[in-house]
Amino acid sequence: MRKLFIIAGAALLLASCAKQTQPFQPLVLSAVQEGDEAASKTSLSGTSVHWSAGDQVAAFVGITPHTSTGTEIVSETQAKFTFSDLSADASVTYAVYPASAVVGYHDGGATVTVPSEQTAVPDSFGEGAAVCIAKGDASPMVFANVCGFLAFTFASSDVANVASIRIMANEPMTGQADVHWNSGDPTVEPSSVKSLNAVKLSGTFESGKTYYVAVFPRASYTGLTIKITKKDGYVSTYTNPGTLTLARKGNMLIAKNLALKAVPASGNWAEKDPAYIGSTEVVIPVGKVGENIYLIQNTYTNSTPPTPPAASSAPVNLSDVDAGYKWNVSVSGTVFQLYPNEETGRWLNCSTTNGSGNQNCMAVSNENYWKRKYFTWDAAGYVLTSDSYDARYLSYKDNAWYGETFPASGSYPAASFSFYVQVP
């Protein structure tokens, strides 16, 4: 009996060792770009696109996204992505590049974010700007591009003086959208409340190079506007009244040899990026809602929204604007405050402390408990609060300025702002 016990024990020990020596097998996904005819990933090389070291994709198992933990570049157009938290037999429904673009699962695809602020890359587009999606029932998985691309060049004599460029339209261009796989020809449905009608490109620009931005494809873009900010802060604006059609994977040159416009003569008003406006410069913020433009009253309003003058569809004659609509700007890093001209004891602010509550929250006052006095100016030209609470966008309704939680609200449309200073 003892001998039999020893033999049985050895058998159990061998079986246990056999189980322990079987290592965990992580999920590895093979990925290829959609094709050589258009941009499908992070870098352009002529008309082909290359995967880059360190790229991460998100794979959905059910409705839960998992981020890849390792990348192997097989060739310029092929890569393998390892998921250390998923077993090799995990069932993937969809995958998205880049992983950071994923908002969540959407039936038949994913909810993603195309960045509204992108980095300038000569003859290419910014890392992570071109969002792609793949279906999980193929090996290798074919990543189809979600975006289209707008391209432009600068005049050689001006390129060194460019700080950033904004491209704007009347329709959503970037931000959050639901993407449907659609049998390998993805369709994009922009969010009505979390998309922006613009894209901003910043960085160092070089002569003789073409620059690209990734945006939503669309059958009809209207009101196309290009705003170029110089390194001294002055803005050159170009508009096109025509209609632009941009297909998925489309690559369209919309402007060639963009030139910076001369700053007007001394005493005239010129548009300037608020980040470049000095604290002693008089500034007139001009908000545009649809075809109408409005100013912001700077007089004391306590808890009542500040009022604009009557709407105008023509450019405002800024020389005729009275003192009640003139401000000073105090800039700190990426945020700024608006004070009535020659005053520091009152400021434009938003009285709410979170995303709920009445939208009637904009005021011009000196109440210390109204701390939401810091603003940013985003890619679409929206002015929004900048703090730890939900952003409030400076929006127009019933001849008054309100603080709206979303820029695309139907009842409180946000204004796209320009800031004008008098040229010294």
Side-chain angles (χ1 to χ4, degrees), residues 147-173:
C147 301
F149 299 86
L150 301 178
F152 53 89
T153 64
F154 289 109
S156 296
S157 58
D158 292 336
V159 66
N161 291 319
V162 175
S164 65
I165 183 167
R166 282 177 167 84
I167 301 175
M168 312 165 80
N170 293 329
E171 297 79 21
M173 303 185 83

Side-chain angles (χ1 to χ4, degrees), residues 198-274:
V199 58
K200 178 184 178 183
L201 193 67
S202 303
T204 301
F205 298 90
E206 300 176 20
S207 178
K209 303 296 184 180
T210 302
Y211 293 89
Y212 298 81
V213 290
V215 299
F216 300 144
R218 194 174 187 90
S220 177
Y221 276 117
T222 62
L224 195 69
T225 299
I226 297 175
K227 287 179 174 283
I228 311 168
T229 298
K230 295 169 58 180
K231 289 184 177 178
D232 61 6
Y234 286 105
V235 178
S236 299
T237 300
Y238 293 89
T239 59
N240 186 337
T243 299
L244 173 70
T245 298
L246 182 64
R248 184 184 73 84
K249 302 188 299 180
N251 185 342
M252 183 175 294
L253 183 67
I254 59 170
K256 189 174 182 179
N257 295 330
L258 280 169
L260 299 174
K261 295 182 178 180
V263 177
S266 176
N268 292 304
W269 292 85
E271 184 178 355
K272 201 172 187 181
D273 186 318

Side-chain angles (χ1 to χ4, degrees), residues 291-334:
E291 295 302 317
N292 292 328
I293 52 179
Y294 306 92
L295 308 182
I296 310 173
Q297 186 182 45
N298 65 29
T299 54
Y300 182 80
T301 62
N302 194 15
S303 60
T304 304
T307 59
S312 171
S313 58
V316 172
N317 184 352
L318 297 177
S319 298
D320 296 335
V321 173
D322 64 39
Y325 300 99
K326 294 180 178 179
W327 299 78
N328 293 134
V329 175
S330 174
V331 180
S332 177
T334 60

